[in-house]
Amino acid sequence: MKRTLALAAALFASAAASAADRYLPGGNDDPNLRAAQYQNDENRYFSALTELLAVPRSNDKAADRYQWLLAENYLSFGMGQRAEPIYRELAISATDHLLLGQARLRLARFDYERGYYEQARSALLKMQEHLPKPLVDEWQDLSARVLMAQGRYNEAVAVLTSTDNASQQSPYTRYNLGVALINDGRVPQGRDVLDRIGRMRVETLDDLALRDKANLTLGWHFLHNQLGGSAKPIFGRVRSQGPYSNRALLGLGWAELSPQGTKQARATLADEELQGSPFTTFSTLGVLLRPGFLDRDIFKRAGMRDFKLDKLAKGEQDALKRALAAWVELINRDPMDPAVQEGWLAIPYSLDKLGAHAQALQFYEKAVDNLENNRKRADAAMTSIREGRMVETIVRRDIDAESGWEWKLKDLPDAPETYYLQNLLAEHRFQEALKNYRDVRMMQRNLDSWKARLDTMETAYKQPRPDVAPEILFRRATEDWTPSWTEPAMTLRADTALAAPGSYDAKAAPASPPAIELATGMPKRFDGDWEKIQSLKARQASLHALLETAANDQGKVLQTMAINELTGQKKQIEKYLVEARFALARLYDRQLKGELDDQH
Amino acid sequence: MLMLANPRRKAVRVLVVAAACAVGTLQAAAPPAPDANALQIDQNIQSLKDEVLQFNRDAVTLEQDTLYPPYSRTSVYLGVRIGGLLVKDFSIAFDDGTPQTFNFTDDEGRAFLLHNGLRRMLRANLAPGPHRIRADFSAQYADAKPSDAPVTNHFEAIFDKGYSQTDLELTLGRSTRVAKPGLTLKQWSTTR
């Protein structure tokens, strides 16, 4: 009473909340729904879904926000199978076509990245007819990527060129168009598109990397087609320090030595204006390997002793020197890069051609040492992968993040296998498998935490619990109920010796219980809190075991992909080793015969 | 031996570019079809996710009913309605109880502002009848200088706890554009 009075007095001194407003469970005002929204905005999709699923919902069709949020979180947590029927249902009544289109595109992107190409293509085709205009570019981009993943380059080109929006398409889309055109046999047009991307003005580091990638792709395309003369300036545009610079340096060297080809005619596809040169810095390979750089003695820079040049044609000698300039720069770079490894062989090959046989021999010996070291590194990386260390190291970052499908690999572990596998790590098939593996591990930890919580609930159940005043339970049950009469007011009291009014005298003698006719639909067994706890404990144990199996299966898929990739790279190293040893044997043989007379 | 500066960062750049480009590059043959085994595992994991979520729903509901019976359950939610204001600390107490304090990271602070979501700060068991709620917060504008004083305020109110579960929504906002940010209380109960 004292406390109540004190609170009543305080009522005048502070703000008072107005009477409680009512909300419909799962409706827009439901604080639980809005708490799920907060969790969604925190990328905690698993928690948001748990929150949403725990909302006791009526069959009110008006609660669209609940359904949108549910579908969005299902998809974000990598459950496209669950999200798809909800979006399909929402599409029937949706009035915001832009929102619906965005959701459908997101679902199609999920299918594409997970490898369900046919579903993705089908979904994209279905939405094409009523596609909101602001989504056209994104739809084109995704459709083309799906078609290209299926090897349908011709259709991809048709999708990307079906509307007059070349200037609005992202550089990534244009890059894909260039690749699709070349793979479809429309080589000159494809080259032109890639060439434009390779000369585009850039504002971000990602765009710079794309520009380098376009130049690298185009340069190697020319090289494979015996068009070294066309490849050289393209490789020269690649930045001297960047993710694609080593491959470009390697290509630049080979472009000097390969047939130069004829000047290629330009065949334009798009109606884009040609841009001026965006290469205003000194950071490209073309500038790094400028004529002045080459005129200084490239052989001295490479630490070679003087030697007498073979009687090569002046043009061939110059080409070899220019190739060496690129490769000498290359071999000082990361020894784990396959391009650098090839550079170790390319240099002695050129030296041998130039007549510097002894120097070539020394370089081959160095190359063998380096390649042997790399083979050991590859073996160590393979062991690490087989022991599952690589995957565990990657997923250990943000270990409790519930970001599901939206999880991004932002950083790579500093482990030997990381470098070998960077191309594989970039592929959707690996990334999506990694996301699943993370999610399974996260769910296992979730179930682990429930084991202790269920034990606590079980212990609490066994403890005596405080009695709840029956009046409170009665008032709660009748809080929203208005009786059809006014008097008398109904109350409830606890009756511990219940009998017909006035008839209780003493405990009745035991009699045979009357037959009770159970109503149909009665539960077959009692399902109280204790039984629920036991059932949850059994489910927890069973699910944990299933998750362990799933984690092992998914881990094996990741491991197989990594081992296959690494095996391919190891084979390449071994191939280089065979080549180097064969060349060495040949040179030793000639040395024994006194044929290596290049020293002054 | 000269090494590339920060090769891991460059590798990440490759990831970004590769993610936006089509599968494969210039190739004569079509790219390989997706691995059927990998797709099967993906579908299995999606089903397992569903089962784990159902389990969590059932377990959370039972735990909540056990620890916070509906007749005494009181939940407190916090929302922020001032653009750019990142809540840093928040404390709350009922009646003469000890305040419980919560600290927020910048990411947590930003999540309040994205879609007007609410964060459930706590659940408590309160007997039916009048109760006093006290809350304090400290916040900082996203563009504030480190030397700027934080925005703080105190809130106190009486609310009447009914016989059913009660939800208390505390909103950090301001009554006019120049008013000092403060908390307001809204009490909710569910229709059954």
Side-chain angles (χ1 to χ4, degrees):
Chain A
M1 175 63 82
K2 201 173 169 185
R3 191 174 136 260
T4 309
L5 286 175
L7 283 176
L11 190 67
F12 296 102
S14 58
S18 56
D21 288 312
R22 296 296 175 108
Y23 66 84
L24 192 70
N28 289 349
D29 291 329
D30 185 346
N32 298 296
L33 181 74
R34 291 185 284 156
Q37 177 70 65
Y38 178 85
Q39 287 165 331
N40 172 71
D41 292 339
E42 260 197 307
N43 302 333
R44 290 169 55 210
Y45 307 119
F46 181 82
S47 296
L49 283 166
T50 306
E51 186 80 42
L52 288 167
L53 293 172
V55 170
R57 296 197 56 248
S58 57
N59 288 324
D60 184 7
K61 296 282 283 178
D64 272 2
R65 187 180 167 194
Y66 174 93
Q67 296 290 355
W68 277 106
L69 202 52
L70 190 64
E72 194 179 327
N73 278 284
Y74 269 137
L75 188 53
S76 298
F77 193 54
M79 298 171 69
Q81 288 173 349
R82 272 285 184 186
E84 196 273 336
I86 303 175
Y87 281 132
R88 202 168 353 106
E89 191 68 28
L90 284 167
I92 298 167
S93 57
T95 51
D96 189 339
H97 294 287
L98 186 60
L99 189 67
L100 182 67
Q102 283 165 338
R104 283 173 147 182
L105 271 178
R106 198 162 161 258
L107 187 61
R109 185 164 65 84
F110 172 84
D111 283 338
Y112 160 68
E113 290 180 0
R114 283 279 149 114
Y116 301 105
Y117 297 148
E118 209 43 59
Q119 283 100 312
R121 187 166 153 265
S122 163
L124 288 163
L125 280 174
K126 272 184 202 159
M127 68 181 293
Q128 186 180 9
E129 199 178 339
H130 302 293
L131 187 69
K133 209 173 172 191
L135 301 180
V136 168
D137 297 349
E138 197 182 339
W139 180 88
Q140 275 185 320
D141 178 69
L142 185 58
S143 298
R145 284 156 73 189
V146 171
L147 290 164
M148 288 171 77
Q150 294 181 305
R152 303 156 87 125
Y153 300 111
N154 185 278
E155 290 170 68
V157 171
V159 161
L160 291 176
T161 52
S162 59
T163 49
D164 186 20
N165 62 341
S167 59
Q168 289 155 29
Q169 289 174 336
S170 77
Y172 296 94
T173 308
R174 300 301 290 173
Y175 173 87
N176 289 341
L177 174 62
V179 171
L181 280 163
I182 292 177
N183 283 346
D184 188 42
R186 294 154 74 179
V187 175
Q189 289 92 338
R191 284 175 183 165
D192 179 63
V193 173
L194 287 181
D195 182 54
R196 285 167 190 268
I197 298 295
R199 283 185 288 105
M200 70 177 177
R201 291 186 187 280
V202 294
E203 287 173 3
T204 66
L205 285 173
D206 291 346
D207 284 350
L208 257 176
L210 178 70
R211 191 174 75 184
D212 283 351
K213 183 175 166 124
N215 284 320
L216 186 75
T217 306
L218 187 58
W220 277 97
H221 164 77
F222 280 131
L223 209 48
H224 287 143
N225 287 280
Q226 311 276 302
L227 295 166
S230 301
K232 275 187 282 184
I234 307 291
F235 285 130
R237 293 175 188 165
V238 177
R239 280 173 300 157
S240 54
Q241 295 286 345
Y244 303 101
S245 58
N246 294 357
R247 290 274 303 153
L249 271 171
L250 181 69
L252 198 55
W254 287 124
E256 295 288 353
L257 304 185
S258 79
Q260 298 299 290
T262 53
K263 186 173 167 54
Q264 297 300 295
R266 182 176 289 277
T268 57
L269 171 88
D271 51 359
E272 293 171 289
E273 290 289 321
L274 267 178
Q275 296 172 333
S277 172
F279 300 97
T280 54
T281 69
F282 292 104
S283 60
T284 61
L285 292 178
V287 176
L288 176 71
L289 305 175
R290 62 201 178 278
F293 180 90
L294 195 65
D295 289 346
R296 293 203 311 273
D297 196 339
I298 182 65
F299 306 110
K300 272 188 186 165
R301 197 145 27 82
M304 298 172 200
R305 285 172 296 161
D306 290 344
F307 61 90
K308 197 162 61 186
L309 289 171
D310 263 3
K311 286 176 185 169
L312 292 171
K314 180 77 172 71
E316 199 178 346
Q317 248 185 51
D318 289 346
L320 278 164
K321 282 173 83 173
R322 282 195 298 270
L324 267 176
W327 291 334
V328 166
E329 170 66 28
L330 176 65
I331 58 162
N332 287 322
R333 298 189 172 195
D334 194 330
M336 286 196 281
D337 189 330
V340 177
Q341 292 160 13
E342 192 174 330
W344 293 333
L345 297 187
I347 287 184
Y349 164 83
S350 308
L351 288 171
D352 195 21
K353 278 248 187 184
L354 280 167
H357 308 298
Q359 282 84 350
L361 195 140
Q362 286 167 5
F363 266 87
Y364 274 127
E365 282 171 344
K366 269 193 223 168
V368 168
D369 286 346
N370 286 332
L371 288 166
E372 276 293 0
N373 284 338
N374 253 302
R375 184 158 69 167
K376 282 178 195 155
R377 279 200 199 106
D379 283 335
M382 224 175 262
T383 305
S384 170
I385 290 165
R386 286 210 174 93
E387 289 171 355
R389 288 206 300 266
M390 181 195 72
V391 172
E392 288 301 331
T393 310
I394 293 175
V395 300
R396 208 176 298 141
R397 288 152 196 268
D398 310 322
I399 191 162
D400 288 318
E402 300 174 14
S403 32
W405 179 51
E406 294 292 348
W407 181 73
K408 298 260 185 309
L409 186 59
K410 291 179 192 152
D411 198 3
L412 294 173
D414 193 7
E417 58 272 28
T418 302
Y419 197 94
Y420 291 112
L421 300 177
Q422 58 173 289
N423 287 330
L424 176 68
L425 289 170
E427 289 182 29
H428 288 308
R429 66 188 171 114
F430 191 86
Q431 291 218 5
E432 296 305 306
L434 201 56
K435 289 175 191 175
N436 264 340
Y437 185 81
R438 279 191 80 262
D439 290 345
V440 171
R441 288 291 186 219
M442 188 277 289
M443 289 191 292
Q444 277 187 306
R445 282 194 301 282
N446 169 270
L447 290 181
D448 286 340
S449 75
W450 271 114
K451 191 171 187 306
R453 285 162 79 176
L454 289 171
D455 286 343
T456 307
M457 285 160 71
E458 195 177 53
T459 308
Y461 186 85
K462 291 175 186 166
Q463 305 298 321
R465 279 178 280 186
D467 288 333
V468 184
E471 181 63 20
I472 288 179
L473 296 177
F474 180 73
R475 291 287 295 272
R476 177 171 184 263
T478 57
E479 199 171 35
D480 293 335
W481 175 64
T482 311
S484 54
W485 62 90
T486 51
E487 292 294 338
M490 285 179 71
T491 56
L492 196 70
R493 69 164 193 273
D495 228 333
T496 51
L498 199 60
S503 67
Y504 185 79
D505 187 18
K507 202 172 180 180
S512 56
I516 300 169
E517 197 172 318
L518 291 176
T520 52
M522 290 280 281
K524 286 186 180 152
R525 63 180 185 85
F526 184 65
D527 194 23
D529 286 356
W530 175 263
E531 287 74 16
K532 282 179 185 162
I533 292 169
Q534 299 314 309
S535 161
L536 284 168
K537 286 180 94 171
R539 281 167 70 191
Q540 188 270 349
S542 142
L543 276 172
H544 201 280
L546 288 170
L547 286 176
E548 187 60 35
T549 308
N552 287 339
D553 290 347
Q554 191 65 88
K556 270 182 203 150
V557 168
L558 285 164
Q559 196 173 311
T560 306
M561 278 193 265
I563 292 286
N564 288 346
E565 174 74 17
L566 205 52
T567 304
Q569 291 195 27
K570 199 180 155 197
K571 273 186 187 159
Q572 187 63 49
I573 293 172
E574 282 165 351
K575 192 177 147 210
Y576 288 151
L577 264 172
V578 169
E579 281 177 23
R581 287 194 171 123
F582 182 75
L584 264 180
R586 205 164 27 87
L587 283 168
Y588 283 140
D589 192 41
R590 287 164 64 194
Q591 195 177 38
L592 281 173
K593 290 176 184 167
E595 290 175 14
L596 304 188
D597 56 348
D598 57 304
Q599 290 174 34
H600 289 289
Chain B
M1 180 161 289
L2 179 74
M3 297 287 282
L4 282 178
N6 200 349
R8 282 198 289 152
R9 184 163 297 221
K10 285 176 180 170
V12 171
R13 192 73 57 208
V14 175
L15 301 186
V16 173
V17 174
C21 294
V23 176
T25 50
L26 300 182
Q27 54 208 356
D35 178 1
N37 178 45
L39 295 185
Q40 183 62 49
I41 291 171
D42 177 60
Q43 283 165 22
N44 179 38
I45 289 176
Q46 288 198 46
S47 302
L48 276 173
K49 284 179 176 179
D50 208 20
E51 284 186 53
V52 174
L53 281 166
Q54 302 290 340
F55 167 85
N56 268 266
R57 180 201 61 186
D58 295 344
V60 161
T61 306
L62 184 62
E63 185 182 53
Q64 184 180 296
D65 287 348
T66 309
L67 299 177
Y68 306 102
Y71 58 84
S72 60
R73 187 185 306 158
T74 306
S75 307
V76 180
Y77 298 84
L78 176 66
V80 181
R81 300 288 177 274
I82 302 176
L85 186 67
L86 301 177
V87 60
K88 301 283 182 191
D89 308 296
F90 176 75
S91 72
I92 188 162
F94 289 113
D95 303 322
D96 298 323
T98 311
Q100 287 191 54
T101 301
F102 305 88
N103 303 310
F104 298 94
T105 63
D106 280 356
D107 283 346
E108 288 169 332
R110 271 190 283 274
F112 279 111
L113 306 173
L114 290 176
H115 299 101
N116 291 342
L118 295 178
R119 175 157 164 165
R120 187 185 302 112
M121 303 309 303
L122 59 82
R123 279 202 166 113
N125 288 312
L126 295 179
H131 292 275
R132 187 170 68 214
I133 181 172
R134 291 174 286 131
D136 291 273
F137 72 86
S138 159
Q140 189 76 280
Y141 284 100
D143 58 355
K145 293 176 195 148
S147 56
D148 289 352
V151 180
T152 59
N153 213 335
H154 173 78
F155 175 80
E156 204 164 320
I158 304 293
F159 68 96
D160 196 22
K161 166 78 181 68
Y163 290 91
S164 299
Q165 70 172 65
T166 289
D167 297 310
L168 301 172
E169 179 182 346
L170 284 164
T171 305
L172 205 174
R174 55 185 167 202
S175 50
T176 64
R177 288 187 67 177
V178 290
K180 188 179 179 187
L183 290 164
T184 53
L185 175 68
K186 186 161 190 169
Q187 189 176 352
W188 293 97
S189 68
T190 176
T191 54
R192 283 182 289 144

